[in-house]
Amino acid sequence: MSDPSASGLRAINADLHCHSTVSDGWLEPEELVRRAVENGVELLALTDHDEVGGVDAAARTARAQGVAFVAGVEISVSFAGETIHIVGLDVDHRHPALRDGLAQVRSGRDARAQRMSEALEAVGIRDALSGARRFARNPDLVSRAHFARHLVASGVMPDVKTVFDHYLVRGKPGFVEHEWATLEEAVGWIRAAGGVAAVAHPARYRLSSAQLALLFDRFMAAGGEAVEVVSGAHTEEEMLRFAHLARQRGLLASRASDFHGENESVVDVGCCRPLPPDLEPVWSRFWPPAQTLTN
Ligand code: AMP
Ligand code: MN
Ligand code: MN
Ligand code: MN
């Protein structure tokens, strides 16, 4: 693309990463879409963890509200001993390869939650799994966020961030190792479903620069095309660092709040920084929507 800014591509308020109650967000898919519209979002992707169960409801609401919407997902991947997240955008959420792959990733969550609960029991926190389940609207998707909310609600810790720092990150008592999908599987499912793959919040991984370079080498070799340059989880400095990486590697750039809920997210849905103007936005792949391309 020669000059995306001239076509007004960059000017749109696109938010291509957020969560509903189908994973660990606080809002139902319908409520999330309505909030996005109130915040001025013009193009939205719902990207629940390992799950596309909220896409149909979100798409229906988006249609009724007159906002452009693409189906998305955030897939959990194991890479170099770390969990990383790959976002799929504009996927056919009914595609069997994607659906089966996601079902396989989700199937490990139950046993993991059980092991987390046992690990917490060992430090005197009883029956955390039942507590976490009360916060998980989708029984197939118990996340660490649900454990964190339970520990806050039961007075163990003052807020979710503190629970993570003390209990739920590697090296802390409630953390258990888990094998998620491989990077190649996740990118492969997204591509099979016709979507674009993006590395989510790349500044958040505990990887050396060499490991991060290898992550992007393998991601691109598998057909991954985008990176979240703007993320609710990035500082401005981190945003600039990954803008540089996008330029160097010729990756498409995404803009993503990673909104989970009012009290847990720094950035509200649709309220991210703009992308640096020289980068090609990932939504050039699916915006404007086909039906508006009349003349
Ligand atoms: P899981 O997929 O079960 O490992 O849970 C990961 C989710 O936990 C992330 O998507 C966030 O919603 C949340 N999370 C991870 N790390 C933190 C943190 N340090 N503070 C707050 N929430 C976190
Ligand atoms: Mn989450
Ligand atoms: Mn994530
Ligand atoms: Mn996320």
Side-chain angles (χ1 to χ4, degrees):
M1 164 164 313
S2 51
D3 182 7
S5 58
S7 64
L9 264 177
R10 189 169 329 284
I12 69 162
N13 184 339
D15 189 340
L16 301 180
H17 183 158
C18 57
H19 297 271
S20 76
T21 49
V22 165
S23 62
D24 56 3
W26 283 95
L27 301 180
E28 300 289 337
E30 296 88 341
E31 295 173 312
L32 181 67
V33 173
R34 283 195 286 273
R35 187 180 183 101
V37 171
E38 279 164 21
N39 288 351
V41 171
E42 296 165 276
L43 171 62
L44 183 71
L46 175 66
T47 55
D48 277 308
H49 297 287
D50 308 322
E51 171 70 280
V52 288
V55 163
D56 285 328
R60 259 194 314 276
T61 310
R63 215 172 302 122
Q65 298 270 324
V67 60
F69 176 84
V70 292
V73 66
E74 181 176 19
I75 306 181
S76 312
V77 161
S78 296
F79 175 86
E82 176 78 349
T83 299
I84 70 141
H85 287 165
I86 300 295
V87 162
L89 296 171
D90 197 26
V91 291
D92 168 6
H93 62 294
R94 295 193 182 87
H95 193 282
L98 180 65
R99 289 209 89 112
D100 294 351
L102 295 179
Q104 182 194 314
V105 179
R106 285 196 303 275
S107 69
R109 279 198 178 259
D110 220 50
R112 171 196 188 232
Q114 186 64 51
R115 286 186 293 129
M116 284 179 64
S117 194
E118 286 160 13
L120 288 166
E121 193 103 27
V123 292
I125 297 171
R126 303 202 47 200
D127 204 15
L129 184 53
S130 311
R133 282 197 196 288
R134 279 196 284 278
F135 284 90
R137 292 290 302 273
N138 177 356
D140 284 347
L141 215 119
V142 178
S143 115
R144 282 183 293 160
H146 300 119
F147 278 91
R149 289 167 196 166
H150 165 62
L151 265 56
V152 173
S154 54
V156 174
M157 288 274 126
D159 56 65
V160 160
K161 167 97 181 59
T162 315
V163 180
F164 270 90
D165 292 348
H166 286 79
Y167 288 100
L168 300 180
V169 294
R170 176 171 286 112
K172 299 297 173 183
F175 182 86
V176 301
E177 296 293 342
H178 187 72
E179 274 302 310
W180 302 105
T182 68
L183 182 57
E184 285 74 16
E185 283 172 333
V187 175
W189 299 331
I190 291 165
R191 284 175 59 82
V196 184
V199 175
H201 42 65
R204 292 281 64 81
Y205 307 125
R206 286 185 302 184
L207 297 174
S208 67
S209 350
Q211 287 172 319
L212 198 72
L214 182 64
L215 168 67
F216 279 97
D217 288 346
R218 274 179 51 187
F219 172 73
M220 293 178 76
E225 296 168 276
V227 56
E228 286 183 356
V229 169
V230 169
S231 164
H234 284 178
T235 62
E236 186 167 5
E237 200 183 349
E238 289 165 342
M239 184 272 279
L240 293 172
R241 177 175 167 218
F242 285 96
H244 181 65
L245 180 136
R247 280 179 206 111
Q248 276 187 321
R249 289 188 174 256
L251 287 163
L252 300 167
S254 193
R255 179 174 185 261
S257 64
D258 203 0
F259 180 71
H260 283 70
E262 207 160 9
N263 299 318
E264 275 180 29
S265 300
V266 192
V267 173
D268 205 332
V269 60
C271 299
C272 324
R273 293 186 181 86
L275 282 180
D278 63 303
L279 297 182
E280 181 171 349
V282 65
W283 56 89
S284 65
R285 289 299 174 82
F286 41 79
W287 175 276
Q291 65 268 25
T292 65
L293 291 172
T294 46
N295 65 10

